[in-house]
């Protein structure tokens, strides 16, 4: 099944197939979201670490290697590479959005200079690649990314990273609302479980973005 027919929700089950996608490297950006060291560390208890083990393995075996390839191919083509990471400017995190202050999984206190808040070494930014720091789920809402994309003449954004049902979804919706063409690379993203990942891709596909596989995305450059 190709990207044109995959991940169809109820709304788009009978919709016509979308047009072919053609990406111009000069007006395309790759946005890698929140693949930070903290998310690959063991949890508070052995039991919780074990519960998350499928996610850890999926990240190490699939998502990170695929992002390495995606980054290499985009850099080779001259695509603008941008990273987003969760990082607060105040040590006590009082500058965070409400969603990152609430108790539970989404509670995030990652001062900007802490080692576990950095992009994983395997995907480290190179040269003058932009890294935006955010205290919101959306990489647009709480940063100057909107202005940066506009100033650089970007029209299309390829999105990868974590978590599909949280920061990826929020970022994709924000980009769509700003009228960017958005491509989400399925096998370069992850949620806590494959079920959550697939469900969210079905929700956002066709209306906010086009969900594709890595090989398909690279083919859009011709």
């Amino acid at each position: 099944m190709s990207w044109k027919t995959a991940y169809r929700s109820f709304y788009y089950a009978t919709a016509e197939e979308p047009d072919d996608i053609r990406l111009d490297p000069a007006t395309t950006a790759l946005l890698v979201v929140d693949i930070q060291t903290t998310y690959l560390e063991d949890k508070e208890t052995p039991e919780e670490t074990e519960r998350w083990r499928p996610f850890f393995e999926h990240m190490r075996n699939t998502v990170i290697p695929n992002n390495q390839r995606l980054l290499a191919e985009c850099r080779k083509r001259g695509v603008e590479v941008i990273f987003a990471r969760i990082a607060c400017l105040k040590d006590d995190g009082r500058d965070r959005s409400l969603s990152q202050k609430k108790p539970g999984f989404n509670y995030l206190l990652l001062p900007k200079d802490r080692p576990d808040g950095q992009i994983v070494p395997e995907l480290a930014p190179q040269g003058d690649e932009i890294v935006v720091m955010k205290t919101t789920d959306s990489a647009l809402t709480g940063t100057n990314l909107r202005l940066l994309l506009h100033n650089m003449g970007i029209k299309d954004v390829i999105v990868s990273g974590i978590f599909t049902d949280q920061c990826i979804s929020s970022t994709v919706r924000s980009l769509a609302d700003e009228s960017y063409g958005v491509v989400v690379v399925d096998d370069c993203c992850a949620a806590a479980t494959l079920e959550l990942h697939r469900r969210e891709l079905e929700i956002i596909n066709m209306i906010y973005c086009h969900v594709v596989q890595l090989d398909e995305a690279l083919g859009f450059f011709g």
Side-chain angles (χ1 to χ4, degrees), residues 23-29 77-80 152-156 221:
L23 296 177
D24 179 356
T27 59
T28 301
R77 290 169 168 81
V79 172
E80 193 70 46
M152 294 187 294
I154 300 300
K155 297 179 180 178
D156 296 288
F221 291 108

Side-chain angles (χ1 to χ4, degrees), residues 97-108:
S97 63
L98 179 59
S99 67
Q100 293 187 5
K101 293 176 181 176
K102 290 182 177 179
F105 172 75
N106 210 46
Y107 176 84
L108 295 166

Side-chain angles (χ1 to χ4, degrees), residues 30 32 67-75 81 83 123:
L30 167 63
V32 182
N67 270 278
Q68 287 179 305
R69 181 182 168 208
L70 178 59
L71 281 163
E73 293 292 339
C74 284
R75 287 165 176 155
V81 172
F83 295 84
L123 307 179

